[in-house]
Amino acid sequence: KVATGSGCPAAIADSQPVDMPNPVATFDTTMGEIKCEIYLDKMPITASNFIDLANTGFYNGLHFHRVIPDFMDQFGCPHSKDPKSSRAGTGGPPDGTYKNLVTGATEKRSGGGNIKDEFAAKISNEPGTLSMANTGSPNSGGSQFFMNTVHNDFLDWFSPGESKHPVFGKVVDQASFDVMVAISKTPTRDDCPVTPVTMKSVTVA
């Protein structure tokens, strides 16, 4: 469609819909900063849930409760506010609603803060990706997610295996990935870091 009558190319350009770039989340941890693109365009339900939790400060002050070298770093349980809590890994956000930032629809968190499984984009659990944690049951993801430090394709929702973990983001640079790997290699006891790794803040811009 060509605009007429203005004679100004800028006016034509301004009249076209613009694809907004995906937001970038900054994870400020005690071991360094991790920046990840959040796939709002491909995974709007999951990404909107994460962005809502980040923007309300849900993640600030929590700890990585499970880290395994050559595998992943798990994070996002509210019980991990106490880094030594035996309940870390079992919690989720409060039940309620949040806005789908793509469609404008109201999405629900229910049954312990769980959201709908979003088996939409076929994005593999590659190194540097963010992926939803769940209990193994359908629709059991909430606030917890993990950072893949290797290619864990057996966790893909579209793989033949039982584990179904949708990816909703990925690191934007090598420095961020290096921090992910460093966290995974920190000394642990029962997979929990001996020296707590704290999430000082998560911001999305």
Side-chain angles (χ1 to χ4, degrees):
K1 183 179 179 182
V2 178
T4 57
S6 68
C8 176
I12 297 172
D14 289 346
S15 70
Q16 302 300 312
V18 177
D19 284 333
M20 296 297 290
N22 277 325
V24 173
T26 301
F27 301 89
D28 185 12
T29 84
T30 49
M31 289 186 66
E33 193 174 84
I34 300 167
K35 287 183 178 289
C36 294
E37 177 185 357
I38 303 301
Y39 295 148
L40 186 61
D41 57 343
K42 302 182 186 77
M43 299 290 290
I45 295 172
T46 309
S48 296
N49 172 65
F50 166 81
I51 292 167
D52 179 69
L53 293 170
N55 286 345
T56 56
F58 181 89
Y59 291 123
N60 301 348
L62 302 185
H63 297 85
F64 286 86
H65 66 270
R66 182 173 177 244
V67 305
I68 302 174
D70 301 314
F71 186 28
M72 58 91 224
D73 312 326
Q74 191 167 343
F75 174 79
C77 175
H79 301 312
S80 71
K81 200 104 177 173
D82 171 3
K84 302 303 179 187
S85 172
S86 61
R87 298 175 68 200
T90 65
D95 288 354
T97 61
Y98 64 98
K99 183 180 180 180
N100 185 315
L101 298 174
V102 174
T103 67
T106 298
E107 305 287 354
K108 285 185 179 178
R109 296 188 189 103
S110 60
N114 298 326
I115 66 170
K116 289 185 291 189
D117 288 331
E118 189 173 23
F119 297 152
K122 289 188 175 182
I123 309 167
S124 191
N125 280 267
E126 293 179 349
T129 53
L130 306 178
S131 189
M132 286 297 288
N134 56 49
T135 66
S137 298
N139 305 308
S140 61
S143 56
Q144 292 189 51
F145 59 93
F146 55 94
M147 302 176 173
N148 288 294
T149 60
V150 296
H151 193 182
N152 294 311
D153 56 353
F154 68 98
L155 299 178
D156 295 344
W157 66 263
F158 48 91
S159 74
E162 290 184 13
S163 295
K164 307 293 180 189
H165 298 277
V167 169
F168 65 95
K170 189 173 185 178
V171 290
V172 299
D173 54 33
Q174 185 64 40
S176 295
F177 182 64
D178 290 346
V179 174
M180 279 187 184
V181 172
I183 292 172
S184 75
K185 293 182 175 178
T186 192
T188 59
R189 184 178 297 116
D190 298 326
D191 296 334
C192 182
V194 174
T195 300
V197 182
T198 311
M199 188 69 72
K200 295 188 282 186
S201 67
V202 181
T203 53
V204 181

